[in-house]
């Protein structure tokens, strides 16, 4: 598995550019919890996710977190090469949420390809536009959607990602995804339990009425 | 005044590309309040602002607004060409906040130039990255900064943009910039008045302690 089979614009690159990518890119295994990119202190390069799941988030001065978006199989991550991108003035953290296999294209190679190849530059543009769209969606959620709807949507998404209705996730972790305090999550989960939407026990949240959660989230 | 003198990457375009831009772009005067772009229902093209001030904002189903960023002299607006940009899945509104002079590059010309010119594609990339950065700043403000600090920062910014300490702006309009309700703005302004930071009168807000507002906003 390499860029030639997984990179969407491979056929739009010149043979020389394809050769450069093949010779400089490398595969890396990262275990769950690994921080791949941490704001301006690291610059791994452009990533192509072969398997697993990455999470992109920001963190406040006080240590509060909020998830911006997640990356899945065949997604491409460009903010892990933010050191070679102009005008990026924010710092995201990218970590492996599951054990993952990734292909890495070093930042200076990524930069020189963008400079000489319009398809590569336009591809980066599309990736940024789709992340921008996810962040705009997030703003709309934060500004205009009540927390019960956001939490319901998060729980439904998690059952799909984890492929189980019994979620092993702490209230703290959910709070970090949604950018709120643990107490707020606990209070809302207890309310969901009283409405028979979930059943809470130590370390797990069992979804007992997924249809109800879906309706609530809309 | 045209693209040849104001477009940052003019010298990186081929003579043929320069000629295309010169022949297809046009200047337009827009009066204050004009909506230049309204989500997916319009597609004016790429804009270069010669003078004046534009505002980019989103609006909720219930009609609530929040300002994303503003554009000033020599800024370039690409979301007004969102119909030809891939993966943009959000709808912004762009309106003239002051009487403005703009240069317009039609969307299909913009698109074909991006496809054939790496400098043009990278330039678009940089514009998007800087807007993305402004929106990320906004998320951090909304999530982690209290409303008094946000309002203080907004008032200080307005005195600079309008070049006066006596602002003619309604509480409703401030609420639309900051994504909140008019009552919230009025309450905080009254508190600012009690702290001798501002003096309120019909239709105006006089900044009486700019230094105090600046300190509050930090």
């Amino acid at each position: 598995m390499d860029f030639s089979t997984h990179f969407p614009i491979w056929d739009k690159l010149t043979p020389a550019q394809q050769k450069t990518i093949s010779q400089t890119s490398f595969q890396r295994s990262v275990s769950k919890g690994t921080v791949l990119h941490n704001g301006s202190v690291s610059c791994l390069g452009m990533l192509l996710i072969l398997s697993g799941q990455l999470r992109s988030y920001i963190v406040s001065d006080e240590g509060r977190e909020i998830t911006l978006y997640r990356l899945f199989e065949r997604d491409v991550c460009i903010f892990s090469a933010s050191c070679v991108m102009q005008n990026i003035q924010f710092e995201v953290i990218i970590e492996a949420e599951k054990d993952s296999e990734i292909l890495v294209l070093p930042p200076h190679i990524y930069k020189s390809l963008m400079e000489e190849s319009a398809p590569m530059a336009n591809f980066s543009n599309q990736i940024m536009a789709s992340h921008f769209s996810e962040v705009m969606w997030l703003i709309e959620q934060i500004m205009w959607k009540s927390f019960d709807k956001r939490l319901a949507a998060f729980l439904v998404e998690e059952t799909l990602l984890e492929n189980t209705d019994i979620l092993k996730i702490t209230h703290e972790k959910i709070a970090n995804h949604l950018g709120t305090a643990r107490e707020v999550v606990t209070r809302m989960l207890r309310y969901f339990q009283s409405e028979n939407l979930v059943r809470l026990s130590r370390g797990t949240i069992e979804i007992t009425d997924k249809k109800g959660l879906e309706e609530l989230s809309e």
Side-chain angles (χ1 to χ4, degrees), chain A:
Chain A
M1 290 197 291
D2 60 13
F3 273 91
S4 71
T5 49
H6 281 66
F7 198 45
I9 57 156
W10 183 259
D11 294 339
K12 293 185 182 168
L13 300 172
T14 65
Q17 290 163 347
Q18 292 175 343
K19 193 175 165 199
T20 301
I21 293 179
S22 297
Q23 287 177 341
T24 57
S25 62
F26 55 93
Q27 190 168 337
R28 201 173 134 183
S29 304
V30 285
S31 54
K32 183 179 170 176
T34 305
V35 171
L36 286 161
H37 178 77
N38 188 357
S40 54
V41 301
S42 54
C43 198
L44 186 57
M46 193 188 85
L47 313 180
L48 200 160
I49 291 103
L50 297 175
S51 68
Q53 182 175 318
L54 308 187
R55 170 187 175 230
S56 165
Y57 64 99
I58 52 172
V59 61
S60 75
D61 295 340
E62 288 78 32
R64 284 180 60 187
E65 299 178 3
I66 183 167
T67 298
L68 298 177
Y69 53 83
R70 284 154 150 183
L71 297 159
F72 305 99
E73 198 180 314
R74 289 181 178 263
D75 278 343
V76 169
C77 180
I78 56 171
F79 288 116
S80 45
S82 60
C83 64
V84 295
M85 294 165 72
Q86 281 186 54
N87 295 4
I88 295 285
Q89 286 137 12
F90 56 93
E91 306 210 329
V92 299
I93 302 169
I94 296 158
E95 71 168 23
E97 260 193 316
K98 295 183 180 174
D99 291 346
S100 303
E101 287 291 323
I102 57 173
L103 283 172
V104 182
L105 184 68
H108 56 287
I109 305 290
Y110 172 58
K111 189 184 182 207
S112 65
L113 285 172
M114 271 207 293
E115 278 165 3
E116 66 178 58
S117 161
M120 188 71 169
N122 281 303
F123 176 73
S124 294
N125 227 313
Q126 288 165 29
I127 299 289
M128 203 187 316
S130 72
H131 291 326
F132 203 154
S133 299
E134 290 178 282
V135 167
M136 287 302 302
W137 179 86
L138 179 63
I139 284 204
E140 293 177 355
Q141 298 286 309
I142 297 167
M143 292 298 299
W144 297 315
K145 207 165 179 181
S146 57
F147 184 67
D148 57 341
K149 290 179 192 296
R150 289 182 64 209
L151 180 57
F154 177 81
L155 293 176
V156 171
E157 193 191 353
E158 282 295 304
T159 62
L160 297 173
L161 290 179
E162 299 299 326
N163 202 22
T164 169
D165 285 350
I166 302 177
L167 302 174
K168 287 195 206 316
I169 187 169
T170 64
H171 300 187
E172 178 81 32
K173 220 159 201 175
I174 296 175
N176 286 344
H177 276 293
L178 299 178
T180 188
R182 187 190 51 74
E183 299 74 26
V184 177
V185 173
T186 300
R187 199 182 314 129
M188 191 62 79
L189 283 173
R190 285 194 185 137
Y191 166 73
F192 282 2
Q193 182 166 248
S194 72
E195 295 284 308
N196 296 317
L197 295 164
V198 303
R199 189 179 302 128
L200 304 176
S201 57
R202 199 173 183 82
T204 66
I205 301 165
E206 184 182 351
I207 311 301
T208 49
D209 181 4
K210 203 187 306 197
K211 203 162 173 300
L213 281 177
E214 282 168 353
E215 283 168 8
L216 176 57
S217 73
E218 277 156 16

